[in-house]
Structures are given as C-alpha cells and as structure tokens.
Amino acid sequence: MKNKSYILLITVFVWCFCVFLFSCSKQKNNFFLDEDKKLITGEHIDVDSLIGQPSQTVFIEPYLFFYDRFDGKSITMVDVNKKSIYKRFLKEGHGPGEIIPPLKLFVSDDNTLNVFQLQTGALLSYKLSSLLDASILPSPHSKVMFKDRPAILSKAKDGFVGIGMFEKGRFQLYDDDGNDIKVIGSYPFDGDNMNPINRFFRYQGTLCSSPDGKHFAMGSAYCDNLEFWEVTDNHNAVLTHKYESYDVKGSFNGTIRLDDECVMNYKGAYGTNRYCYMLYAGEKYGEKHKRTTGGKIILKFDWNGNYIKTFQTESNIYSFCVDNKDRTIYGITKDETSGFVLKSYKL
C-alpha cells in the first residue's frame, strides 16, 4: 500500500513539474494588461524633412542611421547630440560601390553598421570609423553573400540568423562567410504543415538580436507568437521562452489576405546588450483602416524572455531603436503637417 502511495505521489510530482516547465516555455500574453505602463511623449528632433517613409532605424553612439531614399542615396546618418544630419551615403545603382534597395539594417557590438540587400543577398559591413569622414565615400570592411537570400537577417554568435521561405524550419543559422549551417525552429500553430511560401507570409514578422549575437527574438506580425532564443556554441540555438495564444485570421492565395478581425501584433523589434524591445500594435486590421504598419506600444523584455515594462507613445511609431544605455527610444512617427518626423522618448 505504501508503494502505491509513493508511486502516486511521484506521478503527481512529475506531472506538476512538467506543467511548470511547459508554462515557463509557452505562455499567454498578459503584459498588455499592465496597469503600470508608462506613457512617454516624444520630443521632435528637427533634422530637416524626412523623405518618403524612413525605416530600419539603428543606433551606434552617438549616431542614428535609417533607410531613407533621398537624391539617389539610401542611408541617412544623424548626429543626435547636434540634432543634425551628418551625411547621406550609399548610392543606389548597379555600379561599383553602389547598392540595390530594399535594405535591412542592423548593428553588431563592434560599432559596425550592417547593410543587407534583399535582392542580391549581399551583406555590407561598415565600421563606424569609416563613416565619420563626411568628405569621402565609405568602403565596407567586409562583404558576405547569402545564396538563399533570407528575407530578414540579423547577428548571431559566430555568424548570422535569418528567416525566409526555407524548405525546412523557421530560422537559418549561418557562419561568418554566409554559409548555411543549421536549420532550427518550428512555425507556430499549423505552419509546419504548410508549403514554405504560405507559412512564411502567414507568419511573417520582425526579428532582432543582441549586438553580441548571443540572443535573438522573433515576433509574428499577424498572430500572437513571440519567441526568445539563445545562441549556443557550434552554431546552434535553443528556444528559451515563448508567448503564444491565437492564430492568424486570414488566408493566403498568392498573397496574404487578412480578415478585418485579425489583430496586428509585432510591427518592429530592436535589441540592445541587455534588453529586447518589441513594437506592438494591438489593433484589428479593420480598426486600422486596413493598414498593417505602426504601433503605439513598446514592450521591454530581458533576453531570457521575461517581461519587464510597457511603454505607450502618443502616436504611432513606424520604426525605432534604443540607445546603448537603454535610456532613450528614437522613433520615426508621423506629423499631420510635416509628414514623417524623428522623435526621442525618454524611458
């Protein structure tokens, strides 16, 4: 009789432990109900008119960089201390030293600006020191080609991480030379049973990493799926935390078709050494007048995926970054009279 009691006790303990582990790795989002969310108001940084719709904002102390096509140049560099444009660079074209848009920007911890060209799969990396002379054209200190041309690329320890229409897995890990090393991760909900094009567009989203490449995070744009990963040795990574509840409301038939009730989720991401920041919309597709960009909520996590704080801005942010000391958010927002403007928000 005692043995049966012990067996029952052990069984209950194991079951509770498994439930605890599952709850730690996969949770529903409750941070949107945070009553202590901080309202932050932006201060306009007047750096002349921004052209088109600036995006891909990144920060290397004390400079902001963003993708803003103007007069044949693709990247604008802003000195935030002087609140002025430092230079515009990277000419568009097919000649030597020229680039082909669209671009994705990210930074790494050696003060390097990384410029990824989606059409060609070429990654150009620029040391900050090479960008400081405003009188000369900068030259990349390295160029890496990615044969499978991921849709989004970011830093990972000893290489890079990307997402794209891969035959298997959700993420691809690469070495420093752009060679694909390992496929990891699964798509949320029923995504792994879909064809690569369908699931990629259905569960597309935003990807960021810590500048040292030890961690990365992925937030889905049209469903509640947020994942945190730790990059380990030998070009591998492990899932450390996942938030997930509802699936996409919509269909895919050559293009993504969202229902009016589909909730817009994660619309931007940025990583500093200590924290991960996610831009969240939270509005239904119909409520946003069928627009898929922008959000007023910025969620702060540590790199283990633990929720820390919610910030709310007075107007939609379309692209943002955070300074190295986690004290200021720099965001691209829209003014009714001036169009797109650059603002700073104190945390």
Short mmCIF file of all heavy atoms in Angstrom, two decimals, residues 157-213:
data_model
loop_
_atom_site.label_atom_id
_atom_site.label_comp_id
_atom_site.label_asym_id
_atom_site.label_seq_id
_atom_site.Cartn_x
_atom_site.Cartn_y
_atom_site.Cartn_z
N LYS A 157 25.85 34.73 -32.76
CA LYS A 157 27.22 34.46 -32.35
C LYS A 157 27.94 33.62 -33.39
O LYS A 157 27.43 32.59 -33.85
CB LYS A 157 27.21 33.73 -31.00
CG LYS A 157 28.58 33.51 -30.40
CD LYS A 157 28.49 33.07 -28.95
CE LYS A 157 27.85 31.71 -28.81
NZ LYS A 157 27.92 31.22 -27.41
N ASP A 158 29.13 34.08 -33.79
CA ASP A 158 29.95 33.39 -34.80
C ASP A 158 29.27 33.35 -36.16
O ASP A 158 29.56 32.47 -36.99
CB ASP A 158 30.30 31.96 -34.36
CG ASP A 158 31.07 31.92 -33.06
OD1 ASP A 158 31.91 32.82 -32.85
OD2 ASP A 158 30.80 31.03 -32.23
N GLY A 159 28.35 34.26 -36.42
CA GLY A 159 27.69 34.28 -37.72
C GLY A 159 26.43 35.11 -37.72
O GLY A 159 26.37 36.20 -37.14
N PHE A 160 25.37 34.57 -38.35
CA PHE A 160 24.14 35.32 -38.54
C PHE A 160 22.94 34.39 -38.41
O PHE A 160 23.07 33.17 -38.46
CB PHE A 160 24.13 35.98 -39.92
CG PHE A 160 25.33 36.84 -40.19
CD1 PHE A 160 26.45 36.32 -40.82
CD2 PHE A 160 25.36 38.18 -39.79
CE1 PHE A 160 27.58 37.10 -41.07
CE2 PHE A 160 26.47 38.96 -40.03
CZ PHE A 160 27.58 38.43 -40.66
N VAL A 161 21.76 35.00 -38.26
CA VAL A 161 20.50 34.26 -38.25
C VAL A 161 19.55 34.95 -39.21
O VAL A 161 19.54 36.18 -39.33
CB VAL A 161 19.89 34.18 -36.83
CG1 VAL A 161 19.65 35.57 -36.26
CG2 VAL A 161 18.60 33.37 -36.83
N GLY A 162 18.78 34.15 -39.94
CA GLY A 162 17.85 34.73 -40.91
C GLY A 162 16.54 33.97 -40.96
O GLY A 162 16.46 32.81 -40.52
N ILE A 163 15.50 34.63 -41.49
CA ILE A 163 14.23 33.97 -41.77
C ILE A 163 13.94 34.14 -43.26
O ILE A 163 14.38 35.09 -43.89
CB ILE A 163 13.08 34.54 -40.93
CG1 ILE A 163 12.90 36.05 -41.19
CG2 ILE A 163 13.30 34.30 -39.45
CD1 ILE A 163 11.67 36.64 -40.53
N GLY A 164 13.22 33.17 -43.81
CA GLY A 164 12.90 33.22 -45.23
C GLY A 164 12.02 32.06 -45.62
O GLY A 164 11.51 31.31 -44.76
N MET A 165 11.82 31.87 -46.91
CA MET A 165 10.97 30.79 -47.41
C MET A 165 11.78 29.50 -47.52
O MET A 165 11.98 28.96 -48.61
CB MET A 165 10.34 31.20 -48.74
CG MET A 165 9.31 32.30 -48.58
SD MET A 165 8.65 32.94 -50.14
CE MET A 165 9.94 34.09 -50.59
N PHE A 166 12.25 29.01 -46.37
CA PHE A 166 13.10 27.83 -46.35
C PHE A 166 12.26 26.55 -46.45
O PHE A 166 11.12 26.50 -45.98
CB PHE A 166 13.93 27.80 -45.06
CG PHE A 166 14.72 29.06 -44.81
CD1 PHE A 166 14.72 29.67 -43.58
CD2 PHE A 166 15.45 29.65 -45.84
CE1 PHE A 166 15.45 30.83 -43.34
CE2 PHE A 166 16.17 30.81 -45.62
CZ PHE A 166 16.17 31.40 -44.37
N GLU A 167 12.84 25.53 -47.03
CA GLU A 167 12.13 24.26 -47.17
C GLU A 167 11.83 23.62 -45.82
O GLU A 167 10.80 22.99 -45.63
CB GLU A 167 12.97 23.28 -48.02
CG GLU A 167 13.04 23.64 -49.50
CD GLU A 167 11.68 23.54 -50.18
OE1 GLU A 167 10.87 22.67 -49.78
OE2 GLU A 167 11.42 24.32 -51.10
N LYS A 168 12.75 23.78 -44.87
CA LYS A 168 12.56 23.22 -43.54
C LYS A 168 12.89 24.27 -42.49
O LYS A 168 13.78 25.09 -42.69
CB LYS A 168 13.44 21.99 -43.34
CG LYS A 168 13.11 20.83 -44.25
CD LYS A 168 14.03 19.64 -43.97
CE LYS A 168 13.70 18.46 -44.88
NZ LYS A 168 14.60 17.30 -44.62
N GLY A 169 12.18 24.20 -41.37
CA GLY A 169 12.49 25.07 -40.25
C GLY A 169 12.08 26.52 -40.48
O GLY A 169 11.76 26.94 -41.59
N ARG A 170 12.14 27.28 -39.39
CA ARG A 170 11.76 28.69 -39.45
C ARG A 170 12.97 29.61 -39.55
O ARG A 170 12.90 30.67 -40.17
CB ARG A 170 10.95 29.06 -38.21
CG ARG A 170 10.24 30.41 -38.33
CD ARG A 170 9.43 30.71 -37.10
NE ARG A 170 8.54 31.85 -37.33
CZ ARG A 170 7.81 32.43 -36.39
NH1 ARG A 170 7.84 31.95 -35.15
NH2 ARG A 170 7.03 33.46 -36.67
N PHE A 171 14.09 29.22 -38.92
CA PHE A 171 15.29 30.04 -38.89
C PHE A 171 16.46 29.30 -39.54
O PHE A 171 16.54 28.07 -39.47
CB PHE A 171 15.68 30.40 -37.45
CG PHE A 171 14.58 31.04 -36.66
CD1 PHE A 171 13.81 30.29 -35.79
CD2 PHE A 171 14.32 32.40 -36.77
CE1 PHE A 171 12.80 30.87 -35.05
CE2 PHE A 171 13.30 32.98 -36.04
CZ PHE A 171 12.54 32.22 -35.17
N GLN A 172 17.35 30.07 -40.13
CA GLN A 172 18.58 29.51 -40.68
C GLN A 172 19.76 30.18 -39.99
O GLN A 172 19.83 31.42 -39.91
CB GLN A 172 18.66 29.75 -42.18
CG GLN A 172 19.96 29.32 -42.84
CD GLN A 172 20.09 27.80 -42.86
OE1 GLN A 172 19.31 27.11 -43.49
NE2 GLN A 172 21.08 27.29 -42.13
N LEU A 173 20.68 29.38 -39.46
CA LEU A 173 21.91 29.90 -38.88
C LEU A 173 23.02 29.82 -39.91
O LEU A 173 23.15 28.82 -40.63
CB LEU A 173 22.30 29.11 -37.63
CG LEU A 173 21.34 29.22 -36.44
CD1 LEU A 173 21.80 28.31 -35.30
CD2 LEU A 173 21.23 30.66 -35.96
N TYR A 174 23.83 30.90 -39.99
CA TYR A 174 24.91 30.99 -40.96
C TYR A 174 26.23 31.23 -40.23
O TYR A 174 26.25 31.78 -39.12
CB TYR A 174 24.69 32.15 -41.93
CG TYR A 174 23.37 32.13 -42.65
CD1 TYR A 174 22.24 32.74 -42.09
CD2 TYR A 174 23.24 31.54 -43.91
CE1 TYR A 174 21.02 32.75 -42.76
CE2 TYR A 174 22.02 31.55 -44.58
CZ TYR A 174 20.92 32.15 -44.00
OH TYR A 174 19.71 32.16 -44.67
N ASP A 175 27.33 30.88 -40.89
CA ASP A 175 28.63 31.24 -40.34
C ASP A 175 29.01 32.64 -40.83
O ASP A 175 28.25 33.30 -41.55
CB ASP A 175 29.70 30.20 -40.67
CG ASP A 175 29.99 30.07 -42.17
OD1 ASP A 175 29.60 30.98 -42.94
OD2 ASP A 175 30.61 29.06 -42.57
N ASP A 176 30.20 33.11 -40.46
CA ASP A 176 30.62 34.47 -40.81
C ASP A 176 30.80 34.67 -42.31
O ASP A 176 30.83 35.82 -42.79
CB ASP A 176 31.94 34.81 -40.10
CG ASP A 176 31.71 35.17 -38.64
OD1 ASP A 176 30.64 35.71 -38.33
OD2 ASP A 176 32.60 34.91 -37.81
N ASP A 177 30.91 33.57 -43.06
CA ASP A 177 31.09 33.66 -44.51
C ASP A 177 29.78 33.50 -45.27
O ASP A 177 29.78 33.42 -46.51
CB ASP A 177 32.09 32.59 -44.98
CG ASP A 177 33.47 32.81 -44.40
OD1 ASP A 177 33.91 33.98 -44.35
OD2 ASP A 177 34.11 31.82 -43.98
N GLY A 178 28.65 33.43 -44.54
CA GLY A 178 27.36 33.32 -45.20
C GLY A 178 26.95 31.92 -45.57
O GLY A 178 25.92 31.74 -46.25
N ASN A 179 27.72 30.91 -45.15
CA ASN A 179 27.35 29.53 -45.43
C ASN A 179 26.26 29.07 -44.47
O ASN A 179 26.36 29.29 -43.26
CB ASN A 179 28.56 28.61 -45.28
CG ASN A 179 29.69 29.00 -46.21
OD1 ASN A 179 29.49 29.14 -47.42
ND2 ASN A 179 30.89 29.19 -45.67
N ASP A 180 25.19 28.46 -45.00
CA ASP A 180 24.13 27.99 -44.13
C ASP A 180 24.62 26.76 -43.36
O ASP A 180 25.13 25.81 -43.93
CB ASP A 180 22.85 27.68 -44.91
CG ASP A 180 23.09 26.80 -46.12
OD1 ASP A 180 24.08 27.01 -46.82
OD2 ASP A 180 22.28 25.90 -46.37
N ILE A 181 24.46 26.83 -42.04
CA ILE A 181 24.99 25.81 -41.14
C ILE A 181 23.90 24.90 -40.59
O ILE A 181 24.01 23.68 -40.62
CB ILE A 181 25.75 26.46 -39.96
CG1 ILE A 181 26.92 27.29 -40.50
CG2 ILE A 181 26.26 25.40 -39.00
CD1 ILE A 181 27.98 26.50 -41.22
N LYS A 182 22.84 25.51 -40.12
CA LYS A 182 21.81 24.70 -39.45
C LYS A 182 20.44 25.36 -39.53
O LYS A 182 20.33 26.58 -39.39
CB LYS A 182 22.18 24.48 -37.98
CG LYS A 182 21.32 23.44 -37.27
CD LYS A 182 21.92 23.06 -35.93
CE LYS A 182 21.14 21.90 -35.33
NZ LYS A 182 21.76 21.44 -34.06
N VAL A 183 19.41 24.54 -39.75
CA VAL A 183 18.03 24.99 -39.73
C VAL A 183 17.45 24.67 -38.35
O VAL A 183 17.62 23.56 -37.84
CB VAL A 183 17.20 24.29 -40.82
CG1 VAL A 183 15.73 24.64 -40.68
CG2 VAL A 183 17.69 24.68 -42.21
N ILE A 184 16.79 25.65 -37.73
CA ILE A 184 16.22 25.45 -36.41
C ILE A 184 14.82 26.03 -36.35
O ILE A 184 14.43 26.83 -37.20
CB ILE A 184 17.09 26.09 -35.30
CG1 ILE A 184 17.19 27.59 -35.53
CG2 ILE A 184 18.46 25.46 -35.22
CD1 ILE A 184 17.78 28.35 -34.36
N GLY A 185 14.07 25.65 -35.34
CA GLY A 185 12.79 26.27 -35.05
C GLY A 185 11.63 25.72 -35.85
O GLY A 185 11.80 25.16 -36.94
N SER A 186 10.45 25.88 -35.29
CA SER A 186 9.21 25.46 -35.93
C SER A 186 8.28 26.65 -36.08
O SER A 186 8.32 27.59 -35.28
CB SER A 186 8.52 24.38 -35.09
OG SER A 186 9.34 23.23 -34.94
N TYR A 187 7.45 26.61 -37.08
CA TYR A 187 6.44 27.65 -37.24
C TYR A 187 5.33 27.44 -36.22
O TYR A 187 5.06 26.31 -35.80
CB TYR A 187 5.86 27.61 -38.65
CG TYR A 187 6.71 28.34 -39.67
CD1 TYR A 187 7.75 27.70 -40.33
CD2 TYR A 187 6.48 29.69 -39.94
CE1 TYR A 187 8.54 28.37 -41.25
CE2 TYR A 187 7.26 30.37 -40.87
CZ TYR A 187 8.29 29.70 -41.51
OH TYR A 187 9.06 30.39 -42.42
N PRO A 188 4.66 28.52 -35.81
CA PRO A 188 3.57 28.37 -34.83
C PRO A 188 2.35 27.71 -35.44
O PRO A 188 2.19 27.64 -36.66
CB PRO A 188 3.27 29.81 -34.42
CG PRO A 188 3.69 30.64 -35.59
CD PRO A 188 4.88 29.92 -36.18
N PHE A 189 1.50 27.20 -34.57
CA PHE A 189 0.23 26.61 -34.93
C PHE A 189 0.42 25.53 -35.99
O PHE A 189 1.21 24.62 -35.78
CB PHE A 189 -0.74 27.72 -35.36
CG PHE A 189 -0.87 28.80 -34.30
CD1 PHE A 189 -0.23 30.02 -34.45
CD2 PHE A 189 -1.59 28.57 -33.15
CE1 PHE A 189 -0.33 31.01 -33.47
CE2 PHE A 189 -1.68 29.54 -32.16
CZ PHE A 189 -1.05 30.75 -32.32
N ASP A 190 -0.23 25.63 -37.15
CA ASP A 190 -0.14 24.55 -38.15
C ASP A 190 0.86 24.88 -39.25
O ASP A 190 0.84 24.29 -40.32
CB ASP A 190 -1.54 24.31 -38.75
CG ASP A 190 -1.63 22.98 -39.48
OD1 ASP A 190 -1.06 21.99 -38.98
OD2 ASP A 190 -2.27 22.92 -40.55
N GLY A 191 1.76 25.84 -38.99
CA GLY A 191 2.65 26.33 -40.03
C GLY A 191 3.57 25.29 -40.64
O GLY A 191 3.85 25.35 -41.84
N ASP A 192 4.04 24.34 -39.85
CA ASP A 192 4.96 23.34 -40.39
C ASP A 192 4.31 22.42 -41.41
O ASP A 192 5.01 21.74 -42.17
CB ASP A 192 5.56 22.50 -39.25
CG ASP A 192 6.65 23.25 -38.49
OD1 ASP A 192 7.09 24.30 -39.00
OD2 ASP A 192 7.05 22.79 -37.41
N ASN A 193 2.98 22.39 -41.45
CA ASN A 193 2.27 21.54 -42.41
C ASN A 193 1.90 22.31 -43.68
O ASN A 193 1.26 21.75 -44.57
CB ASN A 193 1.00 20.97 -41.78
CG ASN A 193 1.31 20.03 -40.63
OD1 ASN A 193 2.28 19.26 -40.69
ND2 ASN A 193 0.53 20.09 -39.57
N MET A 194 2.31 23.58 -43.77
CA MET A 194 2.03 24.39 -44.96
C MET A 194 3.25 24.40 -45.88
O MET A 194 4.35 24.05 -45.46
CB MET A 194 1.69 25.82 -44.54
CG MET A 194 0.51 25.94 -43.61
SD MET A 194 0.26 27.66 -43.06
CE MET A 194 -1.09 27.44 -41.89
N ASN A 195 3.06 24.84 -47.11
CA ASN A 195 4.20 24.96 -48.01
C ASN A 195 5.04 26.16 -47.59
O ASN A 195 4.55 27.07 -46.91
CB ASN A 195 3.76 25.05 -49.47
CG ASN A 195 3.04 26.35 -49.79
OD1 ASN A 195 3.59 27.45 -49.68
ND2 ASN A 195 1.77 26.24 -50.18
N PRO A 196 6.33 26.21 -47.96
CA PRO A 196 7.24 27.26 -47.47
C PRO A 196 6.78 28.68 -47.74
O PRO A 196 6.98 29.56 -46.90
CB PRO A 196 8.54 26.94 -48.20
CG PRO A 196 8.49 25.47 -48.46
CD PRO A 196 7.05 25.19 -48.76
N ILE A 197 6.16 28.93 -48.91
CA ILE A 197 5.73 30.29 -49.23
C ILE A 197 4.54 30.69 -48.37
O ILE A 197 4.51 31.79 -47.80
CB ILE A 197 5.38 30.40 -50.73
CG1 ILE A 197 6.61 30.10 -51.59
CG2 ILE A 197 4.82 31.78 -51.05
CD1 ILE A 197 6.34 30.09 -53.08
N ASN A 198 3.56 29.80 -48.27
CA ASN A 198 2.36 30.07 -47.49
C ASN A 198 2.70 30.39 -46.04
O ASN A 198 2.30 31.42 -45.50
CB ASN A 198 1.43 28.85 -47.57
CG ASN A 198 0.07 29.12 -46.93
OD1 ASN A 198 -0.08 29.96 -46.05
ND2 ASN A 198 -0.93 28.37 -47.36
N ARG A 199 3.46 29.53 -45.40
CA ARG A 199 3.73 29.71 -43.96
C ARG A 199 4.63 30.93 -43.70
O ARG A 199 4.48 31.59 -42.68
CB ARG A 199 4.36 28.45 -43.38
CG ARG A 199 5.74 28.12 -43.90
CD ARG A 199 6.15 26.72 -43.52
NE ARG A 199 7.49 26.40 -43.96
CZ ARG A 199 7.95 25.14 -44.02
NH1 ARG A 199 7.17 24.13 -43.68
NH2 ARG A 199 9.19 24.91 -44.42
N PHE A 200 5.54 31.21 -44.63
CA PHE A 200 6.40 32.37 -44.41
C PHE A 200 5.58 33.66 -44.40
O PHE A 200 5.74 34.50 -43.51
CB PHE A 200 7.49 32.47 -45.48
CG PHE A 200 8.27 33.75 -45.40
CD1 PHE A 200 9.21 33.95 -44.40
CD2 PHE A 200 8.02 34.79 -46.29
CE1 PHE A 200 9.90 35.16 -44.30
CE2 PHE A 200 8.71 35.99 -46.20
CZ PHE A 200 9.65 36.17 -45.20
N PHE A 201 4.70 33.83 -45.39
CA PHE A 201 3.90 35.05 -45.45
C PHE A 201 2.85 35.09 -44.34
O PHE A 201 2.57 36.15 -43.79
CB PHE A 201 3.23 35.18 -46.82
CG PHE A 201 4.16 35.69 -47.88
CD1 PHE A 201 4.73 34.83 -48.79
CD2 PHE A 201 4.47 37.04 -47.94
CE1 PHE A 201 5.61 35.29 -49.76
CE2 PHE A 201 5.35 37.52 -48.91
CZ PHE A 201 5.92 36.64 -49.82
N ARG A 202 2.29 33.95 -43.99
CA ARG A 202 1.28 33.91 -42.94
C ARG A 202 1.88 34.28 -41.58
O ARG A 202 1.28 35.00 -40.81
CB ARG A 202 0.65 32.51 -42.88
CG ARG A 202 -0.52 32.39 -41.91
CD ARG A 202 -1.10 30.99 -41.96
NE ARG A 202 -2.21 30.83 -41.04
CZ ARG A 202 -3.47 31.09 -41.31
NH1 ARG A 202 -3.79 31.54 -42.52
NH2 ARG A 202 -4.42 30.91 -40.42
N TYR A 203 3.09 33.78 -41.32
CA TYR A 203 3.72 34.00 -40.01
C TYR A 203 4.93 34.92 -40.11
O TYR A 203 5.87 34.82 -39.32
CB TYR A 203 4.09 32.66 -39.39
CG TYR A 203 2.89 31.78 -39.16
CD1 TYR A 203 2.71 30.60 -39.89
CD2 TYR A 203 1.90 32.16 -38.26
CE1 TYR A 203 1.59 29.81 -39.69
CE2 TYR A 203 0.78 31.38 -38.06
CZ TYR A 203 0.62 30.20 -38.77
OH TYR A 203 -0.51 29.44 -38.58
N GLN A 204 4.90 35.83 -41.05
CA GLN A 204 5.97 36.81 -41.16
C GLN A 204 5.97 37.70 -39.93
O GLN A 204 5.00 37.78 -39.19
CB GLN A 204 5.77 37.66 -42.42
CG GLN A 204 4.49 38.46 -42.43
CD GLN A 204 4.28 39.20 -43.73
OE1 GLN A 204 4.92 40.22 -43.97
NE2 GLN A 204 3.40 38.68 -44.59
N GLY A 205 7.09 38.38 -39.71
CA GLY A 205 7.16 39.23 -38.53
C GLY A 205 8.47 39.99 -38.46
O GLY A 205 9.07 40.32 -39.49
N THR A 206 8.91 40.25 -37.25
CA THR A 206 10.08 41.07 -37.03
C THR A 206 11.11 40.30 -36.22
O THR A 206 10.77 39.55 -35.30
CB THR A 206 9.67 42.39 -36.32
OG1 THR A 206 10.78 43.25 -36.21
CG2 THR A 206 9.06 42.12 -34.96
N LEU A 207 12.39 40.48 -36.59
CA LEU A 207 13.49 39.73 -35.99
C LEU A 207 14.55 40.71 -35.49
O LEU A 207 14.89 41.66 -36.19
CB LEU A 207 14.09 38.78 -37.04
CG LEU A 207 15.35 38.00 -36.67
CD1 LEU A 207 15.01 36.89 -35.67
CD2 LEU A 207 15.99 37.40 -37.92
N CYS A 208 15.08 40.48 -34.29
CA CYS A 208 16.19 41.28 -33.80
C CYS A 208 17.09 40.41 -32.94
O CYS A 208 16.69 39.31 -32.51
CB CYS A 208 15.70 42.50 -33.00
SG CYS A 208 15.05 42.10 -31.36
N SER A 209 18.29 40.89 -32.68
CA SER A 209 19.23 40.15 -31.85
C SER A 209 20.00 41.12 -30.97
O SER A 209 20.01 42.33 -31.22
CB SER A 209 20.19 39.33 -32.72
OG SER A 209 20.93 40.17 -33.58
N SER A 210 20.64 40.60 -29.95
CA SER A 210 21.54 41.41 -29.15
C SER A 210 22.79 41.69 -30.00
O SER A 210 23.16 40.87 -30.83
CB SER A 210 21.92 40.68 -27.86
OG SER A 210 22.51 39.42 -28.14
N PRO A 211 23.44 42.84 -29.82
CA PRO A 211 24.59 43.17 -30.66
C PRO A 211 25.71 42.14 -30.62
O PRO A 211 26.44 41.99 -31.60
CB PRO A 211 25.06 44.52 -30.09
CG PRO A 211 23.82 45.13 -29.52
CD PRO A 211 23.05 43.97 -28.95
N ASP A 212 25.85 41.40 -29.50
CA ASP A 212 26.88 40.37 -29.43
C ASP A 212 26.45 39.07 -30.08
O ASP A 212 27.23 38.12 -30.20
CB ASP A 212 27.31 40.12 -27.98
CG ASP A 212 26.15 39.68 -27.09
OD1 ASP A 212 25.07 39.33 -27.61
OD2 ASP A 212 26.33 39.69 -25.84
N GLY A 213 25.19 38.99 -30.51
CA GLY A 213 24.70 37.82 -31.22
C GLY A 213 24.40 36.62 -30.34
O GLY A 213 24.13 35.53 -30.84
#
